[in-house]
Amino acid sequence: MNLHEYQAKELFRAHQIPVPRGILARTPGEALAACEALGGSRWVIKAQVYSGGRGKAGGVVVANRAEEVSGAADRLLGRRLVTYQSGAEGLPVESLLVEEPTEIARELYLSLLVERASERYLFMASASGGMDIERVAAEMPERILLVRVHPAVGLQPYQVRRLGFGLGLEGGQIKALGGLMEGLYRLFNDSDASLVEINPLVVTAAGDLVALDAKVNLDDNALYRQRRLAELRDPTQEDSREAEARMHDLNYISLDGNIGCMVNGAGLAMATMDLVKLHGGAPANFLDVGGGATAARVAEAFKLILSDPKVEAVLVNIFGGIVRCDLIAEGIIQAVREVRVGVPVVVRLEGTNAEQGLRMLAESGLPVATASSLGEAADKAVAAASRGLASAEGVA
Ligand code: GDP
Ligand code: MN
């Protein structure tokens, strides 16, 4: 789960990580009132969306006059902001963070995450902040500094100094960096985060360190014990199908392809996506209906897959270990009737009562193709989807 920048900055504040003063605004009037309350004659207006890259997309505006504030608020609020991370549809802007301006001398990068391979916390830092860090990592990997922290030992002063000197900081700035990294480390643990990122962390004209941007990703598996943070979720910023799936306890991720996949078991779902790719197709989603798939869950999963207009064929791949394939077949038949599936469906059943299940599907009279192997199923689904595409193109 993500947090908005203003929420992340509240967490920063609570952990003594310096951030600019700011006020959240939901209307142009509130934005003007926020400027008044902050005082001064310049303000920074920042669109609150679950995405970075807002600066380049026009979502961060430095305003020198009140008219510019209302102009920016009018232009941003109620619109969708398209960034290089958001996808072509963009994300809805429903609130703005109005901040006092910061005089920037240098833009640094600092983040904290879990590095699974080394089983350590990993601080990443770079003197090339402000820009896309993936690009820095790809083009100038030597500009990325890494510090690994053992969870039983904690952050050590020498590690702070190493990063500090590597970033070109001096004197009191190293001490400030130490406080900031300690704060980041506590925040990370206290909130069960999976990533905390400050890009840019700025050195101000006065030489202070300030977190100008704030990104926090929370570990979904720990949300049950992070009630207050879990309540901050903003469904308007999330993929609507993924939100719907969460309500039904289905493990669903939207992807770009045109073949809807319904599978029981995460490993099998991954293998299915690989097979689709291998046969020249592209999956429209990852979906694990779970080990104890019931007819009702299968129906929900079908509805979810078919609510995606990109889907041109559905591939169902069920392994009947705990579940019986005849029950799954019943669920599929019920779902296909109920949901009125308008695209080709290919089903591969394997395991307990598979033959019975396949026979039921064949005798149902529904336009459901069956396959006995996963390879054959993938092949049929890819062919069905491309036929659909060909006929659609024929019409156009
Ligand atoms: P992002 O583009 O979504 O990552 O949004 P950021 O919060 O990182 O802001 C993008 C850029 O806007 C920063 O890298 C800064 O260069 C600029 N910016 C943001 N706040 C201020 C500010 O207070 N003063 C100045 N001069 N620039 C700012
Ligand atoms: Mn940023």
Side-chain angles (χ1 to χ4, degrees), residues 46 52-54 130 197-200 212-214:
K46 307 183 77 176
R54 295 164 302 166
E197 185 184 68
I198 309 176
N199 190 21
L212 215 57
D213 194 4

Side-chain angles (χ1 to χ4, degrees), residues 44 46 51-55 60 100-102 104 107 130 199-200 212-213:
V44 182
K46 307 183 77 176
S51 169
R54 295 164 302 166
V60 177
E100 62 181 2
T102 304
I104 303 174
E107 297 199 342
N199 190 21
L212 215 57
D213 194 4

Side-chain angles (χ1 to χ4, degrees), residues 275-319:
L275 260 284
V276 166
K277 279 269 186 195
L278 194 66
H279 286 259
N285 65 279
F286 166 96
L287 172 59
D288 168 15
V289 286
T294 59
R297 283 175 72 76
V298 169
E300 281 310 328
F302 255 111
K303 282 184 207 156
L304 196 64
I305 290 175
L306 292 166
S307 67
D308 180 351
K310 295 193 306 294
V311 169
E312 282 163 325
V314 179
L315 170 52
V316 180
N317 182 21
I318 302 283
F319 180 80

Side-chain angles (χ1 to χ4, degrees), residues 41-382:
S41 58
R42 287 178 68 223
W43 306 276
V44 182
I45 315 295
K46 307 183 77 176
Q48 298 299 288
V49 289
Y50 282 3
S51 169
R54 295 164 302 166
K56 289 198 186 86
V60 177
V61 178
V62 181
N64 295 305
R65 290 199 315 273
E67 301 87 80
E68 288 176 24
V69 173
S70 38
D74 280 336
R75 185 170 58 73
L76 290 168
L77 284 169
R79 302 284 176 81
R80 298 181 79 90
L81 186 69
V82 179
T83 72
Y84 76 96
Q85 293 180 346
S86 70
E89 298 146 44
L91 290 164
V93 182
E94 297 193 333
S95 61
L96 304 170
L97 179 58
V98 182
E99 287 189 331
E100 62 181 2
T102 304
E103 269 207 70
I104 303 174
R106 292 176 61 208
E107 297 199 342
L108 313 174
Y109 173 95
L110 181 66
S111 66
L112 178 57
L113 54 134
V114 176
E115 188 183 44
R116 287 160 194 259
S118 66
E119 300 178 2
R120 300 285 188 276
Y121 294 92
L122 178 65
F123 276 101
M124 286 177 56
S126 176
S128 304
M131 56 196 277
D132 172 9
I133 198 67
E134 285 83 4
R135 230 184 75 206
V136 179
E139 293 171 13
M140 302 164 280
E142 70 286 352
R143 293 221 192 147
I144 298 203
L145 309 170
L146 304 176
V147 160
R148 294 183 172 82
V149 179
H150 192 292
V153 179
L155 179 64
Q156 298 297 302
Y158 81 89
Q159 296 180 308
V160 172
R161 286 195 296 275
R162 230 183 72 205
L163 275 198
F165 291 130
L167 291 172
L169 301 178
E170 46 200 30
Q173 291 172 345
I174 305 271
K175 189 159 171 254
L177 179 71
L180 206 145
M181 287 170 72
E182 286 287 353
L184 214 55
Y185 191 76
R186 271 185 288 114
L187 185 161
F188 195 93
N189 283 314
D190 291 352
S191 47
D192 287 312
S194 53
L195 170 73
V196 182
E197 185 184 68
I198 309 176
N199 190 21
L201 169 65
V202 305
V203 181
T204 66
D208 298 322
L209 295 182
V210 176
L212 215 57
D213 194 4
K215 173 174 172 157
V216 172
N217 282 355
L218 302 172
D219 180 350
D220 287 343
N221 292 317
L223 285 179
Y224 73 94
R225 61 181 191 190
Q226 296 287 351
R227 288 272 180 76
R228 275 188 40 222
L229 292 177
E231 280 171 14
L232 299 179
R233 188 191 285 284
D234 180 355
T236 68
Q237 298 290 317
E238 299 184 328
D239 182 289
S240 60
R241 276 182 291 279
E242 287 179 17
E244 177 79 22
R246 199 168 27 248
M247 280 172 23
H248 292 100
D249 256 333
L250 295 165
N251 228 326
Y252 174 96
I253 314 258
S254 280
L255 299 169
D256 297 333
N258 60 349
I259 299 183
C261 298
M262 181 164 79
V263 190
N264 66 336
L268 193 58
M270 305 268 250
T272 305
M273 286 160 46
D274 278 351
L275 260 284
V276 166
K277 279 269 186 195
L278 194 66
H279 286 259
N285 65 279
F286 166 96
L287 172 59
D288 168 15
V289 286
T294 59
R297 283 175 72 76
V298 169
E300 281 310 328
F302 255 111
K303 282 184 207 156
L304 196 64
I305 290 175
L306 292 166
S307 67
D308 180 351
K310 295 193 306 294
V311 169
E312 282 163 325
V314 179
L315 170 52
V316 180
N317 182 21
I318 302 283
F319 180 80
I322 300 168
V323 294
R324 279 167 32 207
C325 290
D326 54 317
L327 287 183
I328 292 293
E330 218 176 277
I332 295 170
I333 292 167
Q334 186 188 319
V336 172
R337 287 212 172 105
E338 220 177 86
V339 185
R340 274 191 237 121
V341 180
V343 297
V345 177
V346 181
V347 180
R348 181 250 182 175
L349 293 174
E350 189 54 90
T352 312
N353 293 356
E355 277 172 28
Q356 197 182 328
L358 289 171
R359 201 167 49 240
M360 287 164 66
L361 287 170
E363 289 167 1
S364 69
L366 293 169
V368 175
T370 58
S372 51
S373 78
L374 179 46
E376 185 194 341
D379 210 29
K380 282 187 172 170
V382 172

